[in-house]
Structures are given as structure tokens and as C-alpha cells.
Amino acid sequence: MAFSIKWSGFLGILRKVVDGKELKSIIALKGNILIRYLGLISTYSIFINLSALLGTDILAANGLLLQIALLSQFTVQGIGMTLQTLTGNFKVKGNIEQISPLLVVSIINSLIIASTFAFIPFLFPETIFKLLTDHPEISEKAIQYSLWLLPLLCLTATAFMLEGYFIGLKECATLRNGVLTAFFIGFLPLAVMSYYWQNNHLLWSGLTAYMGTLIITLFLQLPKVHKNHAFQFQESE
């Protein structure tokens, strides 16, 4: 099968790729998203390492709870990716008025999923944790800290939706600042205190505070972001 290449179109695309301004914008965008992932990964890595320092039983129990938390997060992330794509599409098409309702619907649906994952081990603790481990002492430890799943999963779901929203709008610098604030102000102080006092509840509160701080930081920026994008759209008209 033969095909022909329209070199004029190819050269036009090539110019855009090597354009300094566009390339710089793409690098900045990807760099800020990378910082977001590094912040999240660092938070969970420190959480796991500190769990190990609190004892083998705590590490194992936290590992069981994290399996449930990560399963919820992977499920919710699908909604976040859809939100990110649709937000970008609405922005390009100028349908600014549809972006806010999209965020609200996404948060509601993600909260339903997250709360379901949190309530199942809370309502049926012995059944769920027996499926995950054969050691009753580990199950008892996990049940003791399972109450943290509800605030953590619900806050994580909301945070992931806001992250997808800001990425869709290409407001990744705002997202980067939010992640750094959440890590250094929300998570790290409580993580240090959890090690100092050897308290696993403080460690879980640090992980929860990370998500809560990120939500607060991003919510505070929503009015400004909406105003900027609405103004840009009016100017383009």
C-alpha cells in the first residue's frame, strides 16, 4: 500500500515542535507534573519507611491498609483522567461554563467510590483482612487503624479530581505549589512527630493531612483560575 506525505504540513508541525516558546511551555508543563508525582511518591515512601521504624507489625498492618487505599486510588484515578481530558477539551472549545459542573460531578462520583472502599473493611473487618493475611495479630493491628481509611480515601479522591482539573487547564505551576505546600506543611511535620513519639496514628494523620492541605491550597486558587480563563476566552473572542 502506497501513501504520500504532505511535506508542507509536516514542516509546519516541525516548526511548532522546535519553536522555542512552545518547547519551553511543554517542558515547564511536564516538569511541574513530574514534581507532582515526585511529591506523592516521596510522601508514600517516607510513610512506608517510617512504618518499618515503628515495628514489623505496624509495617505489615499499614501495608494491608495501603493495599485497600491504593486500590481505591487507582479506581478513582480513572475518573480523574477523564476529568482532565474533558476539562482540556472544554477549554479549547471555549465551553468555560461547563468546566465547573464537570468538576462537581467528578468529585461526587469519586467520593462515592472512595467511601465504598473505606466502609467495606470497616463494616466487615475480619472478613476483609482474613483475605489479605493469615496472621491474626496483623489483622488486629490493621483493624485498629482502619478508621483512617475513610478520611484518607475521601480526601484523596477529592485531591485527585482537583489535580486532574488543574492539569486539564494547564495550571500545573499552581498544582506544583500545592503539592510542595502539602508535603512540607501538611505531611512532613506530622511524620517527624510520629517517629519521635513512635505513634502510628500520627503517621496516618500526616498522610491524611497531605491530602487535606493539597485540597485547601487548590480550592483557594479556584476563583482566580476561573477568572483568568474566563477573561482569556473573552479576549480571544
Side-chain angles (χ1 to χ4, degrees):
M1 181 180 293
F3 63 92
S4 60
I5 298 176
K6 295 182 178 179
W7 291 105
S8 59
F10 176 78
L11 291 174
I13 294 173
L14 183 61
R15 290 191 193 97
K16 291 183 179 180
V17 172
V18 299
D19 179 83
K21 184 178 179 181
E22 292 292 334
L23 188 59
K24 183 179 179 181
S25 175
I26 292 173
I27 293 174
L29 178 69
K30 297 300 181 182
N32 288 329
I33 294 176
L34 177 61
I35 292 173
R36 177 262 177 187
Y37 281 108
L38 288 176
L40 184 63
I41 292 171
S42 298
T43 299
Y44 277 101
S45 297
I46 294 172
F47 179 89
I48 293 171
N49 289 330
L50 289 177
S51 297
L53 294 176
L54 294 178
T56 305
D57 289 350
I58 293 294
L59 175 62
N62 286 355
L64 294 182
L65 295 173
L66 280 182
Q67 289 184 44
I68 299 171
L70 292 175
L71 182 59
S72 170
Q73 291 171 19
F74 286 138
T75 306
V76 165
Q77 190 65 38
I79 300 177
M81 294 296 292
T82 304
L83 170 63
Q84 175 182 327
T85 302
L86 291 177
T87 300
N89 290 341
F90 287 152
K91 176 187 174 182
V92 171
K93 294 178 181 178
N95 298 329
I96 305 298
E97 70 282 351
Q98 298 184 23
I99 295 180
S100 295
L102 175 65
L103 175 61
V104 173
V105 170
S106 299
I107 290 176
I108 291 173
N109 282 281
S110 66
L111 285 175
I112 292 172
I113 294 173
S115 58
T116 301
F117 274 99
F119 273 118
I120 289 177
F122 178 72
L123 295 175
F124 311 101
E126 295 183 2
T127 303
I128 296 300
F129 291 112
K130 278 183 180 179
L131 292 174
L132 298 175
T133 180
D134 295 328
H135 301 280
E137 66 278 8
I138 303 301
S139 295
E140 290 177 7
K141 284 283 186 183
I143 292 172
Q144 182 180 349
Y145 299 106
S146 61
L147 288 174
W148 283 106
L149 286 177
L150 182 59
L152 175 63
L153 297 190
C154 290
L155 289 174
T156 302
T158 306
F160 279 11
M161 295 307 104
L162 288 169
E163 287 180 337
Y165 187 72
F166 276 81
I167 293 174
L169 292 175
K170 294 185 178 180
E171 293 285 345
C172 294
T174 304
L175 176 57
R176 174 204 63 206
N177 295 338
V179 167
L180 293 175
T181 301
F183 179 78
F184 287 107
I185 296 179
F187 172 71
L188 205 55
L190 288 169
V192 171
M193 286 190 288
S194 73
Y195 173 70
Y196 182 80
W197 281 299
Q198 293 290 290
N199 190 308
N200 195 37
H201 283 295
L202 275 175
L203 186 57
W204 278 100
S205 70
L207 193 58
T208 305
Y210 172 90
M211 298 300 175
T213 305
L214 179 58
I215 290 172
I216 293 171
T217 305
L218 295 181
F219 258 123
L220 290 175
Q221 294 298 319
L222 278 178
K224 179 181 176 182
V225 169
H226 287 167
K227 183 179 179 180
N228 288 342
H229 284 278
F231 180 72
Q232 290 173 10
F233 176 65
Q234 290 173 2
E235 279 193 329
S236 64
E237 290 183 324

